[in-house]
Amino acid sequence: VTVCGLVVLFGGWRVLWLAAFPLLYMFAFGVTISDRIMHRVTYALQDVSAVGAYLLLRVLGIGADRGGNVLTVYDQLGTPHPLNVAEACSGMRMLVAFLALGTAMAYVGLPRLWQRVLVVLLGVPIAVFVNVLRVATLGLLSLRDIAFAAGDFHHFIGLVWLVPAFLLFLLLIWVVRNAVVETEDTIAQGET
């Protein structure tokens, strides 16, 4: 309220209207979520990541078991390699990042409100899917060396998966933008 009041004071109502999206964006993604809500969402994402990575590893033919949020990946000799899907591996940071990225890209790159809302909402499954791929990749790499699942390399894998996730996001925006073909009649109706 104070920031909006200062914008009106120094720039007027027109400037407030022009700055509405940046201000809302700042308030939406610049404020910390309460711990109570954060823990509920984080635990749910933790479970989704563990179950998704377990299923993906099984589809790939890798021996794996899941007990809660602990994945146990078995090598060819049957040696177990436990992998804890911790609270930090829930994908919450990736989810918030993709919601922020999707909101900014949708606002700048899409003309219609329904397209913008669709892209922002589809940022959630993209973030969850990429996090499942990240956890499954760490499970596969733990077969080679358990040290790959921790430390700096653990963070590096997260960064590596951001590139295909961003490309997937760009593909999604391209599909949504090209989902509607404007004819001369709809262009004329929009001008009148």
Side-chain angles (χ1 to χ4, degrees):
V1 174
T2 304
V3 173
C4 292
L6 289 172
V7 170
V8 171
L9 177 67
F10 291 113
W13 290 102
R14 179 161 169 73
V15 174
L16 179 64
W17 178 251
L18 293 173
F21 177 75
L23 289 172
L24 287 173
Y25 188 85
M26 180 182 68
F27 294 140
F29 297 109
V31 177
T32 305
I33 301 170
S34 73
D35 286 340
R36 185 176 180 187
I37 296 171
M38 182 68 95
H39 287 303
R40 284 186 180 177
V41 174
T42 300
Y43 290 139
L45 287 173
Q46 216 174 339
D47 288 340
V48 168
S49 297
V51 170
Y54 166 74
L55 292 174
L56 183 59
L57 288 169
R58 297 295 294 179
V59 166
L60 294 175
I62 307 296
D65 285 329
R66 185 182 71 86
N69 290 328
V70 177
L71 291 176
T72 305
V73 184
Y74 298 97
D75 61 14
Q76 293 176 344
L77 301 174
T79 307
H81 299 275
L83 181 68
N84 183 22
V85 182
E87 192 172 329
C89 293
S90 66
M92 186 63 180
R93 285 179 282 206
M94 192 177 294
L95 177 64
V96 172
F98 270 95
L99 286 176
L101 177 68
T103 302
M105 290 175 72
Y107 180 75
V108 172
L110 295 171
R112 293 184 171 80
L113 180 64
W114 71 267
Q115 292 173 325
R116 292 174 181 172
V117 170
L118 182 64
V119 165
V120 170
L121 291 178
L122 288 176
V124 174
I126 288 175
V128 170
F129 176 69
V130 169
N131 195 53
V132 166
L133 292 175
R134 184 180 67 83
V135 173
T137 303
L138 289 170
L140 287 172
L141 290 174
S142 71
L143 292 175
R144 180 82 172 136
D145 186 1
I146 196 67
F148 285 148
D152 291 336
F153 197 79
H154 177 266
H155 296 293
F156 177 72
I157 292 298
L159 289 174
V160 167
W161 273 110
L162 286 178
V163 175
F166 180 70
L167 295 175
L168 185 63
F169 216 89
L170 288 176
L171 175 67
L172 171 71
I173 288 176
W174 181 82
V175 167
V176 169
R177 182 182 298 138
N178 294 315
V180 175
V181 178
E182 291 188 5
T183 63
E184 291 181 23
D185 293 337
T186 57
I187 292 173
Q189 288 175 357
E191 292 176 356
T192 57

